[in-house]
């Protein structure tokens, strides 16, 4: 049988007696009794949990909120008890939560943010059952701040913004009650003096709270807008979705676009009302959700338009064209990818999400651009990325790369999928590209100069005619020839923009006949067409005069959201452009579509403050054009002046010792001027503040300012009478009596119904000022 006497003997051990004595002698913990502070802390935690649910689309609040409320109520009613049993179970629960955290961590090494958030929510719920002290409440506030930070890093929409504002609105009074608790004041009581204090408060206290709230928001937005956006993540642990298991026969060599009718269902009229999408060149309707160009072949004899919907969100350091596919063979009514048999499948390491790519080695200087894509609506199994991707962090074990430098996935890009691409995007130097050679490799000429023989001579003749017109317009000028590939492509793209149009109602554009050619009909019959038709025409025209080109399809950068820092991309942002090959420098795109920029967005020399620029573009979109133009001029003058001043200063500094001393004297002069200006500003602000105060309050504050100049400041925790008592240790009884008299009159006025003689108080203040000045003069003489 079990010997219970052993337990009795254990309690008599010296070590146990020692701990019992230490526990009994230890000072009792200071319990937090402020109900308001506890309620506000609970509200902060609730808002933080809801923020995680909204930002990450989880459901932690279904169980997290009720348990947090129950725990807060329990800890409030048991705050004066030791709660040994509940602490034991809390410790066990925290160990279990930690074990579960490590278990979940194994499958989410790519992105541990939500795993960490779930652990913090579990720890907070357990912790909420034991919150006796203010310090324990502070731990809950810290967890709430961390959860809010995780939600901010995960959020991709403005749905997080209201939660952030609510959190800030609750945090401000929480800090107030926490400070009162530190001073030992607790909640606002209903005693007579407290009531009088509340009545006698400045009437602007509530407006001041809202003013502070708005000030913090404005300051935060300003910091966000001007915050430098450095080129690259500081950590190389990029966001990627959880691993996706695929079948062995899925290699990514084939493209699956849900917008095209499957084989066997592409007869004249399918059950879904679409027809001909699967037949190259046959008349048909555009799918209203999926862009028709993301496929192994493009049929540009389709008509219709898509219904706008968001398909993905992109976080990138620069604005760019999210390239998807490129096509090499023109069919007369569309395009084909002819080298699907040469698509390469690349496997990544099972221990890493990184897949290394090698898509060209050119002489052009490049810039590393990191992009993170989150798919919002299902897409085909093609992977958008900026030009020349070097690395991709993708959840599948393999990705495929075709000869055109496009990326493909073994499976379709489903909603919620996240991946990251690192691209080496080349700089576009017009001077260098104008000097590029026209000696093309045989493999380039073989793949990218193909044109149907039936239209080759006619298109070539029209192209040369357009270029000849450029020469005639510039007769007598120094540069009257288009003698480079770059200038020819640029001019032809601009010519198509200016001389051909998109019909007012593109739906009425006639279908092409069986023997009609798209480019021929565009140039000679319809004088325009769909936006993508412009790119097809430019590509074929350049090919007709021996310039290798291909058609590239992808997404424009989309609309930039300055609050989330992400580009919101819709299906209607998809379109096609022309890529031109420059030997030794690679492929560069030209956009001939009207209303589009001639050169697609790409990297620039400086992109540090892109958020500020994009934010201004977003704001300018809401302003009238004259106002926008005027503000642009003002900002241009301001920034040009600042740039000129600093350039002048730097040049002066490097002009020998004279320049160095000149810069130093200027710096000292500016510093002194700034210091004196700051002192004047403070004095002016203090005078305005004093003039707005009631007479008694004004005299009291003047007295405090006078004594502060003499080195005796009033601490914020001191009462007026305590301050008067401290003054008596520094000055003579006569001066101390004057200060005590002013303080007593102020207290009677502040907390009672006494109305002192303000003129008499002013006379005492003037007498105090004379006495203090006399003492100061005596000290100087001695």
């Amino acid at each position: 049988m079990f010997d219970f006497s052993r337990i009795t003997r254990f309690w008599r051990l010296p070590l146990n007696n020692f701990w019992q004595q230490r526990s009994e002698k230890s000072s009792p913990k200071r319990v937090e009794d402020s109900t308001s502070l506890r309620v506000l802390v609970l509200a902060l935690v609730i808002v933080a949990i809801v923020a995680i649910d909204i930002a990450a689309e989880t459901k932690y609040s279904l169980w997290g909120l009720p348990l947090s409320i129950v725990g807060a109520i329990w800890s409030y009613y048991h705050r004066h008890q030791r709660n040994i049993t509940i602490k034991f179970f809390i410790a066990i629960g925290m160990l279990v939560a930690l074990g579960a955290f490590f278990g979940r961590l194994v499958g989410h090494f790519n992105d541990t943010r939500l795993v960490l958030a779930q652990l913090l929510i579990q720890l907070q719920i357990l912790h909420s059952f034991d919150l006796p002290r203010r310090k324990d409440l502070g731990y809950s506030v810290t967890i709430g701040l961390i959860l809010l930070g995780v939600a901010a890093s995960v959020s991709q929409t403005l749905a997080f913004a209201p939660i952030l504002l609510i959190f800030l609105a609750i945090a401000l009074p929480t800090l107030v009650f926490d400070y009162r608790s530190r001073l030992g004041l607790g909640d606002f009581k209903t005693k007579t003096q407290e009531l009088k204090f509340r009545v006698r408060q400045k009437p602007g206290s509530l407006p001041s709270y809202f003013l502070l709230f708005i000030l913090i928001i404005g300051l935060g937005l300003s910091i966000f807008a001007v915050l430098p956006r450095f080129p690259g993540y500081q950590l190389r642990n990029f966001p990627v979705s959880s691993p996706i298991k695929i079948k062995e026969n899925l290699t990514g060599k084939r493209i699956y676009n849900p917008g095209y009718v499957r084989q066997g269902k592409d007869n004249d009229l399918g059950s879904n009302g679409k027809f001909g999408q699967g037949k190259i060149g046959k008349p048909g309707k555009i799918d209203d959700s999926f862009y028709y160009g993301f496929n192994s072949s493009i049929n540009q004899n389709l008509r219709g338009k898509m219904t706008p919907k968001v398909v993905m969100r992109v976080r990138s350091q620069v604005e760019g064209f999210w390239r998807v596919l490129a096509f090499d063979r023109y069919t007369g009514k569309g395009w084909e990818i002819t080298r699907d048999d040469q698509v390469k499948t690349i496997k990544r390491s099972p221990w890493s999400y990184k897949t290394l790519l090698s898509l060209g080695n050119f002489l052009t200087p490049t810039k590393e651009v990191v992009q993170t894509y989150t798919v919002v609506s299902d897409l085909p199994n093609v992977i958008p990325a900026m030009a020349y991707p070097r690395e991709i962090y993708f959840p599948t074990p393999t990705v495929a790369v075709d000869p055109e430098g496009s990326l493909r996935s073994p499976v379709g890009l489903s909603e919620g999928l996240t991946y990251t691409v690192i691209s080496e995007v080349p700089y576009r130097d017009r001077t260098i590209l104008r000097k590029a050679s026209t000696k093309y490799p045989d493999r380039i000429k073989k793949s990218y100069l193909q044109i149907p023989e039936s239209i080759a001579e006619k298109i070539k003749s029209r192209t040369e005619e357009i270029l000849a017109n450029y020469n005639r317009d510039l007769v007598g000028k120094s540069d009257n020839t288009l003698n480079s590939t770059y200038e020819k492509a640029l001019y032809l793209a601009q010519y198509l923009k200016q001389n051909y149009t998109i019909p007012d109602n593109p739906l009425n554009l006639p279908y092409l006949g069986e023997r009609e050619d798209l480019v021929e009909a565009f140039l000679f019959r319809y004088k325009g067409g769909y936006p993508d038709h412009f790119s097809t025409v430019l590509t074929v025209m350049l090919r007709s005069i021996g310039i290798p080109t291909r058609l590239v399809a992808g997404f424009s950068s989309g609309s930039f959201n300055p609050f989330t820092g992400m580009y919101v991309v819709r299906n209607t942002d998809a379109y096609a452009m022309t890529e031109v090959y420059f030997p030794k420098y690679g492929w560069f795109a030209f956009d001939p579509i009207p209303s589009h920029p001639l050169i697609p967005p790409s990297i620039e020399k400086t992109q540090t403050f892109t958020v500020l620029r994009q934010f201004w573009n977003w704001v300018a979109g809401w302003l009238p054009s004259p106002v926008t133009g005027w503000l642009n001029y003002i900002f241009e003058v301001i920034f040009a002046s600042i740039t000129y001043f600093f350039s002048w200063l730097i040049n002066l500094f490097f002009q020998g010792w004279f320049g160095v001393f000149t810069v130093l004297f200027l710096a000292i002069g500016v510093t002194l001027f700034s210091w004196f200006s700051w002192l004047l500003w403070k004095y002016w602000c203090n005078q305005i503040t004093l003039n707005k105060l009631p007479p008694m309050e004004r005299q009291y504050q003047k007295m405090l300012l006078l004594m502060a100049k003499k080195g005796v400041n009033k601490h914020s925790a001191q009462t007026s009478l305590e301050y008067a008592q401290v003054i008596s240790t520094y000055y003579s009884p006569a001066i101390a009596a004057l200060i005590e008299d002013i303080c007593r009159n102020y207290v009677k006025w502040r907390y009672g119904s006494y109305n002192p003689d303000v003129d008499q108080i002013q006379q005492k203040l003037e007498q105090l000022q004379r006495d203090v000045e006399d003492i100061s003069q005596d000290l100087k003489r001695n």
Side-chain angles (χ1 to χ4, degrees), residues 56-76:
E57 298 180 358
T58 57
K59 296 181 179 179
Y60 297 142
S61 59
L62 294 179
W63 53 271
L65 298 189
L67 289 177
S68 296
I69 295 173
V70 171
I73 295 174
W74 167 272
S75 62
Y76 175 74

Side-chain angles (χ1 to χ4, degrees), residues 368-548:
E368 180 185 277
V369 179
V370 181
Q371 320 118 60
T372 297
Y373 300 80
T374 299
V375 179
V376 178
S377 180
D378 291 350
L379 290 172
N381 64 316
V382 287
I383 304 175
M386 288 190 75
Y388 298 104
R390 187 189 71 210
E391 300 173 12
I392 181 172
Y393 295 75
F394 203 75
T396 59
T398 62
V399 294
V401 183
D402 68 15
E404 314 302 334
S406 305
L407 304 178
R408 306 182 187 181
S409 167
V411 294
L413 307 188
S414 58
E415 180 182 352
L417 183 142
T418 299
Y419 66 94
T420 299
V421 178
I422 301 178
S423 299
E424 287 292 339
V425 183
Y427 285 104
R428 191 181 188 116
D429 191 324
R430 183 173 180 176
T431 303
I432 294 177
L433 294 178
R434 289 177 63 180
K435 299 176 182 178
S437 171
T438 56
K439 296 180 180 180
Y440 304 106
D442 291 338
R443 60 180 180 82
I444 295 294
K445 292 191 290 185
K446 180 181 178 180
S447 299
Y448 304 110
L449 290 177
Q450 170 270 335
I451 304 177
E453 292 183 2
S454 59
I455 66 167
E457 288 300 325
K458 193 173 183 179
I459 301 303
K460 179 180 179 180
S461 175
R462 178 59 179 150
T463 304
E464 290 177 344
E465 180 185 350
I466 293 172
L467 295 176
N469 289 335
Y470 170 84
N471 296 339
R472 283 196 296 267
D473 292 340
L474 295 178
V475 170
K477 296 186 178 180
S478 57
D479 185 10
N480 61 350
T481 58
L482 291 172
N483 53 10
S484 71
T485 298
Y486 190 89
E487 296 302 327
K488 290 177 182 178
L490 205 64
Y491 178 71
L492 286 174
Q494 187 65 38
Y495 183 87
L496 291 177
K497 282 176 179 288
Q498 296 176 349
N499 294 276
Y500 294 85
T501 60
I502 299 173
D504 294 335
N505 187 0
L507 297 177
N508 295 334
L509 190 69
Y511 288 105
L512 298 173
E514 185 174 349
R515 295 185 179 181
E516 279 190 290
D517 182 271
L518 171 64
V519 175
E520 185 180 20
F522 181 99
L523 290 173
F524 304 106
R525 182 177 176 184
Y526 300 120
K527 301 297 182 179
Y530 272 17
D532 285 356
H533 295 175
F534 284 78
S535 301
T536 292
V537 172
L538 177 62
T539 306
V540 173
M541 291 177 74
L542 289 171
R543 284 187 174 190
S544 71
I545 57 174
I547 299 176

Side-chain angles (χ1 to χ4, degrees), residues 160 175 399 741:
F160 174 73
L175 293 175
V399 294
D741 192 26

Side-chain angles (χ1 to χ4, degrees), residues 317-371:
Q317 296 124 340
V318 298
E319 182 182 7
F321 178 74
W322 320 126
R323 189 179 186 275
V324 178
L325 283 175
F327 303 85
D328 60 334
R329 182 177 181 272
Y330 175 61
T331 64
K333 295 182 177 65
W335 292 85
E336 286 182 336
I337 299 175
T338 62
R339 295 183 289 175
D340 273 343
D341 57 331
Q342 300 180 26
V343 174
K344 296 181 181 179
T345 300
I346 303 176
K347 292 185 178 181
R348 62 171 171 82
S349 168
W351 308 106
S352 172
Y353 287 91
K354 180 171 70 173
T355 301
L356 294 175
L357 309 169
S358 179
L359 299 180
N361 185 16
F362 302 104
L363 299 178
T364 310
T366 60
K367 183 183 184 69
E368 180 185 277
V369 179
V370 181
Q371 320 118 60

Side-chain angles (χ1 to χ4, degrees), residues 21 40 66 102 106 110 126 130 147 221 231 251 286 292 321 395 431 451 571 574 618 646 740 747 758:
Q21 293 174 3
L40 289 170
F102 285 118
V106 174
N110 54 299
L126 294 169
D130 186 39
L147 289 176
L221 292 176
T251 61
I286 291 176
Y292 75 103
F321 178 74
T431 303
I451 304 177
N571 55 349
W618 178 78
F646 281 105
E740 183 178 1
V747 171
V758 178

